[in-house]
Amino acid sequence: QKEVEQDPGPLSVPEGAIVSLNCTYSNSAFQYFMWYRQYSRKGPELLMYTYSSGNKEDGRFTAQVDKSSKYISLFIRDSQPSDSATYLCAMSYSGGYQKVTFGTGTKLQVIP
Amino acid sequence: DADVTQTPRNRITKTGKRIMLECSQTKGHDRMYWYRQDPGLGLRLIYYSFDVKDINKGEISDGYSVSRQAQAKFSLSLESAIPNQTALYFCATSHVGGLTDTQYFGPGTRLTVL
């Protein structure tokens, strides 16, 4: 079983829809939770990160962490065609350097 | 200009050939990483370096070697390329400090081994 599971999609939604992207994980020691966005033929770029449980909002993006369920989510409100990309969740432990474990990514397409 | 650059961007080579992928960064970060990305497998860490004198193996280092020529340069070598090393390779950097070791990625090198 992989430490981090992510549905690969693809996920197609109409412009303006609310998008929900999710990851589950098995290691309860993870403390930092990140979302990266990767456009085609580009490297991943960090969107948001949260520490421990709770919500974090940044514009149209909201990241949620539910440590009791080992489940994290990224919500995109009012989705735009420019949001079409692959979204990777990532997690790490706390304290000093800790290897970052990435999900395999969910491909999102927002249809105009 | 991009903060993390990789050369070449695309490379086709033959089995058994030696190949080097190069990474340069202008972010001033101490830490540098090499990942490969494969469909269905995600990003996997090959090697990482905390400074010029500190190089560490990642989860899939077999068949690869690295060199940290300077704080800003980190190269990845395939001594004798094989077809299952066909993948998208990313260099990344990070810096000490902040709440987490967030990483900044280069644009990637698409490598095909025939």
Side-chain angles (χ1 to χ4, degrees), chain B residues 24-78:
Chain B
S24 295
Q25 54 112 348
T26 58
K27 299 185 75 67
H29 290 171
D30 289 328
R31 297 176 174 177
M32 298 187 74
Y33 309 81
W34 276 104
Y35 289 89
R36 64 178 280 176
Q37 187 177 40
D38 299 273
L41 295 177
L43 283 161
R44 292 183 290 167
L45 184 63
I46 305 172
Y47 270 96
Y48 61 101
S49 170
F50 283 176
D51 64 38
V52 174
K53 297 179 181 179
D54 181 21
I55 292 177
N56 305 278
K57 292 182 177 180
E59 58 187 295
I60 53 161
S61 59
D62 287 348
Y64 302 95
S65 63
V66 291
S67 174
R68 186 82 182 266
Q69 299 95 325
Q71 186 202 34
K73 296 184 181 295
F74 193 35
S75 59
L76 175 72
S77 294
L78 287 69

Short mmCIF file of all heavy atoms in Angstrom, two decimals, chain B residues 24-78:
data_model
loop_
_atom_site.label_atom_id
_atom_site.label_comp_id
_atom_site.label_asym_id
_atom_site.label_seq_id
_atom_site.Cartn_x
_atom_site.Cartn_y
_atom_site.Cartn_z
N SER B 24 20.83 24.29 -12.51
CA SER B 24 21.39 25.51 -11.93
C SER B 24 20.27 26.30 -11.27
O SER B 24 19.14 26.31 -11.75
CB SER B 24 22.06 26.39 -13.00
OG SER B 24 23.17 25.74 -13.56
N GLN B 25 20.61 27.00 -10.18
CA GLN B 25 19.59 27.79 -9.49
C GLN B 25 20.15 29.14 -9.06
O GLN B 25 21.33 29.26 -8.74
CB GLN B 25 19.03 27.03 -8.29
CG GLN B 25 20.08 26.52 -7.31
CD GLN B 25 20.06 27.20 -5.95
OE1 GLN B 25 19.40 28.24 -5.75
NE2 GLN B 25 20.77 26.62 -5.00
N THR B 26 19.27 30.12 -9.10
CA THR B 26 19.65 31.48 -8.69
C THR B 26 18.89 31.90 -7.44
O THR B 26 18.85 33.09 -7.10
CB THR B 26 19.38 32.48 -9.83
OG1 THR B 26 17.99 32.42 -10.19
CG2 THR B 26 20.23 32.18 -11.05
N LYS B 27 18.29 30.93 -6.76
CA LYS B 27 17.47 31.25 -5.59
C LYS B 27 18.32 31.39 -4.32
O LYS B 27 17.81 31.81 -3.30
CB LYS B 27 16.40 30.17 -5.38
CG LYS B 27 15.45 30.05 -6.56
CD LYS B 27 14.33 29.08 -6.29
CE LYS B 27 13.28 29.66 -5.37
NZ LYS B 27 12.53 30.79 -5.96
N GLY B 28 19.57 30.98 -4.40
CA GLY B 28 20.42 31.06 -3.22
C GLY B 28 20.12 29.99 -2.19
O GLY B 28 20.54 30.09 -1.03
N HIS B 29 19.42 28.94 -2.59
CA HIS B 29 19.09 27.86 -1.66
C HIS B 29 20.25 26.90 -1.48
O HIS B 29 21.04 26.67 -2.39
CB HIS B 29 17.87 27.09 -2.19
CG HIS B 29 16.60 27.86 -2.14
ND1 HIS B 29 15.45 27.42 -2.73
CD2 HIS B 29 16.30 29.05 -1.56
CE1 HIS B 29 14.48 28.29 -2.50
NE2 HIS B 29 14.98 29.30 -1.81
N ASP B 30 20.32 26.37 -0.26
CA ASP B 30 21.39 25.41 0.03
C ASP B 30 21.05 24.01 -0.44
O ASP B 30 21.92 23.25 -0.84
CB ASP B 30 21.66 25.35 1.54
CG ASP B 30 22.33 26.63 2.02
OD1 ASP B 30 23.10 27.24 1.25
OD2 ASP B 30 22.09 27.02 3.18
N ARG B 31 19.79 23.66 -0.38
CA ARG B 31 19.39 22.28 -0.63
C ARG B 31 18.96 22.09 -2.08
O ARG B 31 18.24 22.92 -2.62
CB ARG B 31 18.25 21.88 0.30
CG ARG B 31 18.67 21.92 1.76
CD ARG B 31 17.50 21.62 2.68
NE ARG B 31 17.95 21.52 4.08
CZ ARG B 31 17.15 21.32 5.11
NH1 ARG B 31 15.85 21.19 4.91
NH2 ARG B 31 17.63 21.24 6.32
N MET B 32 19.41 21.00 -2.67
CA MET B 32 19.03 20.67 -4.04
C MET B 32 18.68 19.19 -4.12
O MET B 32 19.22 18.37 -3.38
CB MET B 32 20.14 21.05 -5.02
CG MET B 32 20.44 22.54 -5.03
SD MET B 32 21.60 23.05 -6.30
CE MET B 32 20.59 22.95 -7.78
N TYR B 33 17.79 18.87 -5.07
CA TYR B 33 17.22 17.53 -5.17
C TYR B 33 17.10 17.11 -6.63
O TYR B 33 16.92 17.96 -7.51
CB TYR B 33 15.80 17.49 -4.57
CG TYR B 33 15.67 18.08 -3.19
CD1 TYR B 33 15.56 19.46 -3.03
CD2 TYR B 33 15.64 17.27 -2.06
CE1 TYR B 33 15.44 20.02 -1.76
CE2 TYR B 33 15.51 17.83 -0.80
CZ TYR B 33 15.42 19.20 -0.66
OH TYR B 33 15.30 19.75 0.59
N TRP B 34 17.16 15.81 -6.85
CA TRP B 34 16.81 15.24 -8.14
C TRP B 34 15.68 14.23 -7.94
O TRP B 34 15.78 13.34 -7.09
CB TRP B 34 17.99 14.55 -8.80
CG TRP B 34 18.88 15.48 -9.56
CD1 TRP B 34 20.11 15.95 -9.20
CD2 TRP B 34 18.60 16.06 -10.85
NE1 TRP B 34 20.61 16.77 -10.16
CE2 TRP B 34 19.71 16.87 -11.19
CE3 TRP B 34 17.54 15.97 -11.75
CZ2 TRP B 34 19.78 17.59 -12.38
CZ3 TRP B 34 17.61 16.68 -12.93
CH2 TRP B 34 18.73 17.48 -13.24
N TYR B 35 14.60 14.40 -8.74
CA TYR B 35 13.47 13.50 -8.74
C TYR B 35 13.28 12.95 -10.16
O TYR B 35 13.63 13.58 -11.14
CB TYR B 35 12.18 14.24 -8.39
CG TYR B 35 12.03 14.69 -6.97
CD1 TYR B 35 12.49 15.95 -6.57
CD2 TYR B 35 11.38 13.90 -6.03
CE1 TYR B 35 12.32 16.38 -5.26
CE2 TYR B 35 11.21 14.32 -4.72
CZ TYR B 35 11.68 15.56 -4.35
OH TYR B 35 11.50 15.99 -3.06
N ARG B 36 12.64 11.79 -10.22
CA ARG B 36 12.08 11.36 -11.50
C ARG B 36 10.58 11.19 -11.34
O ARG B 36 10.09 10.87 -10.25
CB ARG B 36 12.73 10.07 -12.02
CG ARG B 36 12.54 8.84 -11.20
CD ARG B 36 13.19 7.63 -11.86
NE ARG B 36 12.36 7.07 -12.93
CZ ARG B 36 12.72 6.06 -13.72
NH1 ARG B 36 13.91 5.48 -13.55
NH2 ARG B 36 11.92 5.61 -14.65
N GLN B 37 9.86 11.44 -12.43
CA GLN B 37 8.40 11.34 -12.42
C GLN B 37 7.98 10.37 -13.50
O GLN B 37 8.36 10.51 -14.66
CB GLN B 37 7.76 12.72 -12.65
CG GLN B 37 6.25 12.72 -12.48
CD GLN B 37 5.67 14.12 -12.64
OE1 GLN B 37 6.08 14.87 -13.51
NE2 GLN B 37 4.70 14.47 -11.79
N ASP B 38 7.22 9.36 -13.09
CA ASP B 38 6.70 8.36 -14.00
C ASP B 38 5.20 8.29 -13.85
O ASP B 38 4.68 8.40 -12.73
CB ASP B 38 7.29 6.98 -13.67
CG ASP B 38 8.81 6.95 -13.80
OD1 ASP B 38 9.27 6.70 -14.90
OD2 ASP B 38 9.51 7.17 -12.79
N PRO B 39 4.48 8.05 -14.93
CA PRO B 39 3.02 7.93 -14.84
C PRO B 39 2.61 6.85 -13.84
O PRO B 39 3.13 5.75 -13.86
CB PRO B 39 2.62 7.53 -16.27
CG PRO B 39 3.72 8.04 -17.12
CD PRO B 39 4.97 7.90 -16.31
N GLY B 40 1.71 7.20 -12.94
CA GLY B 40 1.21 6.25 -11.96
C GLY B 40 2.11 6.04 -10.76
O GLY B 40 1.70 5.42 -9.77
N LEU B 41 3.33 6.58 -10.83
CA LEU B 41 4.26 6.41 -9.72
C LEU B 41 4.57 7.72 -9.01
O LEU B 41 5.15 7.74 -7.93
CB LEU B 41 5.56 5.78 -10.20
CG LEU B 41 5.45 4.35 -10.74
CD1 LEU B 41 6.81 3.87 -11.24
CD2 LEU B 41 4.93 3.40 -9.66
N GLY B 42 4.25 8.82 -9.65
CA GLY B 42 4.49 10.12 -9.03
C GLY B 42 5.96 10.50 -9.02
O GLY B 42 6.77 10.00 -9.80
N LEU B 43 6.29 11.38 -8.11
CA LEU B 43 7.65 11.88 -7.98
C LEU B 43 8.42 11.01 -7.00
O LEU B 43 7.97 10.79 -5.88
CB LEU B 43 7.64 13.33 -7.48
CG LEU B 43 7.29 14.39 -8.50
CD1 LEU B 43 6.86 15.67 -7.80
CD2 LEU B 43 8.48 14.67 -9.41
N ARG B 44 9.58 10.55 -7.42
CA ARG B 44 10.42 9.74 -6.53
C ARG B 44 11.80 10.37 -6.43
O ARG B 44 12.39 10.78 -7.42
CB ARG B 44 10.51 8.31 -7.06
CG ARG B 44 9.19 7.55 -6.98
CD ARG B 44 9.35 6.12 -7.45
NE ARG B 44 9.58 6.06 -8.88
CZ ARG B 44 10.01 4.97 -9.52
NH1 ARG B 44 10.24 3.85 -8.84
NH2 ARG B 44 10.19 4.98 -10.82
N LEU B 45 12.32 10.43 -5.22
CA LEU B 45 13.58 11.10 -4.94
C LEU B 45 14.76 10.22 -5.30
O LEU B 45 14.85 9.07 -4.86
CB LEU B 45 13.62 11.47 -3.45
CG LEU B 45 14.82 12.27 -2.96
CD1 LEU B 45 14.87 13.64 -3.63
CD2 LEU B 45 14.74 12.42 -1.44
N ILE B 46 15.68 10.77 -6.08
CA ILE B 46 16.87 10.03 -6.51
C ILE B 46 18.05 10.34 -5.59
O ILE B 46 18.67 9.44 -5.02
CB ILE B 46 17.24 10.36 -7.97
CG1 ILE B 46 16.05 10.12 -8.90
CG2 ILE B 46 18.43 9.50 -8.42
CD1 ILE B 46 16.28 10.61 -10.33
N TYR B 47 18.40 11.62 -5.49
CA TYR B 47 19.48 12.09 -4.62
C TYR B 47 19.10 13.46 -4.09
O TYR B 47 18.32 14.19 -4.71
CB TYR B 47 20.79 12.23 -5.41
CG TYR B 47 21.67 11.01 -5.46
CD1 TYR B 47 21.61 10.13 -6.52
CD2 TYR B 47 22.59 10.75 -4.44
CE1 TYR B 47 22.44 9.01 -6.58
CE2 TYR B 47 23.42 9.63 -4.49
CZ TYR B 47 23.33 8.76 -5.56
OH TYR B 47 24.14 7.67 -5.62
N TYR B 48 19.71 13.82 -2.96
CA TYR B 48 19.56 15.17 -2.46
C TYR B 48 20.86 15.63 -1.81
O TYR B 48 21.67 14.82 -1.37
CB TYR B 48 18.37 15.30 -1.50
CG TYR B 48 18.43 14.48 -0.25
CD1 TYR B 48 18.81 15.03 0.97
CD2 TYR B 48 18.05 13.12 -0.27
CE1 TYR B 48 18.83 14.28 2.12
CE2 TYR B 48 18.08 12.36 0.89
CZ TYR B 48 18.46 12.95 2.08
OH TYR B 48 18.49 12.19 3.24
N SER B 49 21.02 16.94 -1.76
CA SER B 49 22.26 17.53 -1.26
C SER B 49 21.93 18.75 -0.40
O SER B 49 21.19 19.64 -0.85
CB SER B 49 23.14 17.94 -2.45
OG SER B 49 24.25 18.71 -2.02
N PHE B 50 22.48 18.79 0.79
CA PHE B 50 22.22 19.92 1.68
C PHE B 50 23.25 21.02 1.50
O PHE B 50 22.98 22.16 1.84
CB PHE B 50 22.18 19.47 3.13
CG PHE B 50 20.90 18.77 3.50
CD1 PHE B 50 20.74 18.23 4.76
CD2 PHE B 50 19.87 18.63 2.59
CE1 PHE B 50 19.57 17.58 5.10
CE2 PHE B 50 18.70 17.98 2.91
CZ PHE B 50 18.55 17.46 4.19
N ASP B 51 24.43 20.66 1.07
CA ASP B 51 25.42 21.65 0.67
C ASP B 51 26.46 20.93 -0.18
O ASP B 51 26.32 19.75 -0.47
CB ASP B 51 26.04 22.38 1.87
CG ASP B 51 26.83 21.46 2.79
OD1 ASP B 51 27.52 20.55 2.30
OD2 ASP B 51 26.76 21.67 4.02
N VAL B 52 27.49 21.64 -0.59
CA VAL B 52 28.45 21.10 -1.55
C VAL B 52 29.09 19.81 -1.04
O VAL B 52 29.40 18.90 -1.80
CB VAL B 52 29.52 22.15 -1.88
CG1 VAL B 52 30.60 21.56 -2.76
CG2 VAL B 52 28.89 23.35 -2.57
N LYS B 53 29.25 19.69 0.27
CA LYS B 53 29.94 18.52 0.82
C LYS B 53 28.99 17.46 1.37
O LYS B 53 29.44 16.48 1.96
CB LYS B 53 30.90 18.97 1.93
CG LYS B 53 32.01 19.90 1.45
CD LYS B 53 32.91 20.32 2.59
CE LYS B 53 34.00 21.25 2.11
NZ LYS B 53 34.88 21.70 3.22
N ASP B 54 27.71 17.66 1.19
CA ASP B 54 26.73 16.75 1.79
C ASP B 54 25.78 16.23 0.72
O ASP B 54 24.90 16.96 0.25
CB ASP B 54 25.94 17.48 2.89
CG ASP B 54 24.94 16.56 3.55
OD1 ASP B 54 25.10 15.33 3.46
OD2 ASP B 54 24.00 17.07 4.17
N ILE B 55 25.98 14.97 0.33
CA ILE B 55 25.15 14.36 -0.71
C ILE B 55 24.58 13.06 -0.15
O ILE B 55 25.30 12.28 0.48
CB ILE B 55 25.97 14.10 -1.99
CG1 ILE B 55 26.36 15.43 -2.63
CG2 ILE B 55 25.18 13.24 -2.97
CD1 ILE B 55 27.21 15.32 -3.86
N ASN B 56 23.30 12.84 -0.41
CA ASN B 56 22.61 11.69 0.17
C ASN B 56 21.78 10.96 -0.88
O ASN B 56 21.22 11.58 -1.79
CB ASN B 56 21.66 12.16 1.28
CG ASN B 56 22.37 12.98 2.32
OD1 ASN B 56 22.99 12.43 3.23
ND2 ASN B 56 22.31 14.29 2.20
N LYS B 57 21.70 9.65 -0.71
CA LYS B 57 20.87 8.86 -1.62
C LYS B 57 19.40 9.01 -1.24
O LYS B 57 19.04 9.09 -0.08
CB LYS B 57 21.27 7.39 -1.53
CG LYS B 57 22.65 7.08 -2.08
CD LYS B 57 22.94 5.60 -2.01
CE LYS B 57 24.29 5.28 -2.64
NZ LYS B 57 24.60 3.82 -2.57
N GLY B 58 18.57 9.00 -2.28
CA GLY B 58 17.14 8.98 -2.07
C GLY B 58 16.62 7.57 -2.17
O GLY B 58 17.35 6.60 -1.97
N GLU B 59 15.36 7.43 -2.52
CA GLU B 59 14.75 6.10 -2.52
C GLU B 59 15.08 5.27 -3.74
O GLU B 59 14.93 4.05 -3.71
CB GLU B 59 13.23 6.23 -2.37
CG GLU B 59 12.57 7.07 -3.46
CD GLU B 59 11.10 7.31 -3.17
OE1 GLU B 59 10.34 6.33 -3.16
OE2 GLU B 59 10.72 8.48 -2.98
N ILE B 60 15.56 5.90 -4.83
CA ILE B 60 15.84 5.13 -6.05
C ILE B 60 17.16 5.56 -6.67
O ILE B 60 17.23 5.94 -7.83
CB ILE B 60 14.69 5.27 -7.08
CG1 ILE B 60 14.38 6.74 -7.37
CG2 ILE B 60 13.43 4.56 -6.61
CD1 ILE B 60 13.60 6.93 -8.66
N SER B 61 18.26 5.47 -5.95
CA SER B 61 19.54 5.99 -6.42
C SER B 61 20.31 5.00 -7.30
O SER B 61 21.26 5.42 -7.98
CB SER B 61 20.40 6.37 -5.22
OG SER B 61 20.60 5.25 -4.38
N ASP B 62 19.95 3.74 -7.31
CA ASP B 62 20.70 2.76 -8.11
C ASP B 62 20.70 3.15 -9.58
O ASP B 62 19.66 3.42 -10.17
CB ASP B 62 20.10 1.36 -7.94
CG ASP B 62 20.40 0.76 -6.58
OD1 ASP B 62 21.26 1.32 -5.86
OD2 ASP B 62 19.79 -0.27 -6.25
N GLY B 63 21.90 3.14 -10.18
CA GLY B 63 22.03 3.47 -11.60
C GLY B 63 22.26 4.95 -11.86
O GLY B 63 22.45 5.34 -13.01
N TYR B 64 22.27 5.73 -10.79
CA TYR B 64 22.47 7.19 -10.90
C TYR B 64 23.63 7.63 -10.02
O TYR B 64 23.93 7.00 -9.02
CB TYR B 64 21.21 7.94 -10.45
CG TYR B 64 19.96 7.62 -11.20
CD1 TYR B 64 19.06 6.66 -10.72
CD2 TYR B 64 19.64 8.30 -12.38
CE1 TYR B 64 17.90 6.36 -11.40
CE2 TYR B 64 18.46 8.01 -13.05
CZ TYR B 64 17.60 7.05 -12.56
OH TYR B 64 16.45 6.75 -13.23
N SER B 65 24.25 8.74 -10.39
CA SER B 65 25.22 9.40 -9.54
C SER B 65 25.02 10.91 -9.68
O SER B 65 24.38 11.37 -10.62
CB SER B 65 26.66 9.01 -9.90
OG SER B 65 26.96 9.43 -11.22
N VAL B 66 25.53 11.66 -8.71
CA VAL B 66 25.36 13.11 -8.74
C VAL B 66 26.67 13.80 -8.40
O VAL B 66 27.58 13.20 -7.83
CB VAL B 66 24.27 13.58 -7.75
CG1 VAL B 66 22.88 13.14 -8.20
CG2 VAL B 66 24.58 13.11 -6.33
N SER B 67 26.70 15.08 -8.73
CA SER B 67 27.83 15.92 -8.38
C SER B 67 27.31 17.30 -8.04
O SER B 67 26.51 17.87 -8.80
CB SER B 67 28.81 16.00 -9.56
OG SER B 67 29.84 16.92 -9.29
N ARG B 68 27.74 17.83 -6.90
CA ARG B 68 27.37 19.20 -6.51
C ARG B 68 28.61 20.06 -6.72
O ARG B 68 29.49 20.15 -5.89
CB ARG B 68 26.94 19.21 -5.03
CG ARG B 68 26.40 20.55 -4.57
CD ARG B 68 24.97 20.75 -4.94
NE ARG B 68 24.47 22.05 -4.53
CZ ARG B 68 23.84 22.29 -3.39
NH1 ARG B 68 23.63 21.31 -2.52
NH2 ARG B 68 23.42 23.51 -3.13
N GLN B 69 28.64 20.70 -7.87
CA GLN B 69 29.84 21.44 -8.27
C GLN B 69 29.98 22.76 -7.53
O GLN B 69 31.09 23.29 -7.36
CB GLN B 69 29.83 21.71 -9.78
CG GLN B 69 29.80 20.45 -10.64
CD GLN B 69 28.40 20.07 -11.05
OE1 GLN B 69 27.44 20.25 -10.30
NE2 GLN B 69 28.27 19.51 -12.25
N ALA B 70 28.87 23.30 -7.11
CA ALA B 70 28.84 24.58 -6.41
C ALA B 70 27.48 24.66 -5.73
O ALA B 70 26.62 23.82 -5.95
CB ALA B 70 29.02 25.73 -7.40
N GLN B 71 27.30 25.68 -4.90
CA GLN B 71 26.00 25.81 -4.23
C GLN B 71 24.87 25.86 -5.25
O GLN B 71 23.78 25.34 -5.02
CB GLN B 71 25.95 27.07 -3.37
CG GLN B 71 24.68 27.15 -2.55
CD GLN B 71 24.33 28.56 -2.12
OE1 GLN B 71 24.58 29.52 -2.84
NE2 GLN B 71 23.78 28.69 -0.94
N ALA B 72 25.13 26.46 -6.39
CA ALA B 72 24.08 26.68 -7.37
C ALA B 72 23.97 25.60 -8.43
O ALA B 72 23.09 25.67 -9.28
CB ALA B 72 24.29 28.03 -8.05
N LYS B 73 24.82 24.60 -8.40
CA LYS B 73 24.83 23.61 -9.50
C LYS B 73 24.83 22.19 -8.96
O LYS B 73 25.65 21.82 -8.10
CB LYS B 73 26.06 23.82 -10.40
CG LYS B 73 26.07 25.16 -11.13
CD LYS B 73 27.25 25.25 -12.06
CE LYS B 73 27.29 26.59 -12.78
NZ LYS B 73 26.15 26.77 -13.68
N PHE B 74 23.94 21.38 -9.54
CA PHE B 74 23.77 20.00 -9.10
C PHE B 74 23.48 19.17 -10.34
O PHE B 74 22.46 19.40 -11.00
CB PHE B 74 22.62 19.95 -8.10
CG PHE B 74 22.48 18.68 -7.31
CD1 PHE B 74 23.58 17.94 -6.90
CD2 PHE B 74 21.22 18.22 -6.93
CE1 PHE B 74 23.45 16.79 -6.14
CE2 PHE B 74 21.07 17.06 -6.18
CZ PHE B 74 22.18 16.36 -5.78
N SER B 75 24.35 18.24 -10.67
CA SER B 75 24.15 17.47 -11.89
C SER B 75 23.88 16.01 -11.57
O SER B 75 24.34 15.48 -10.55
CB SER B 75 25.38 17.58 -12.81
OG SER B 75 26.53 17.10 -12.15
N LEU B 76 23.11 15.38 -12.44
CA LEU B 76 22.73 13.98 -12.31
C LEU B 76 23.30 13.22 -13.49
O LEU B 76 23.14 13.65 -14.64
CB LEU B 76 21.20 13.86 -12.31
CG LEU B 76 20.62 12.45 -12.30
CD1 LEU B 76 20.83 11.80 -10.93
CD2 LEU B 76 19.13 12.48 -12.63
N SER B 77 23.96 12.10 -13.22
CA SER B 77 24.54 11.28 -14.29
C SER B 77 23.94 9.90 -14.31
O SER B 77 23.68 9.30 -13.25
CB SER B 77 26.07 11.17 -14.12
OG SER B 77 26.69 12.41 -14.29
N LEU B 78 23.74 9.41 -15.51
CA LEU B 78 23.38 8.01 -15.74
C LEU B 78 24.61 7.40 -16.40
O LEU B 78 24.93 7.74 -17.55
CB LEU B 78 22.16 7.89 -16.63
CG LEU B 78 20.80 8.26 -16.05
CD1 LEU B 78 20.68 9.75 -15.80
CD2 LEU B 78 19.69 7.80 -16.99
#
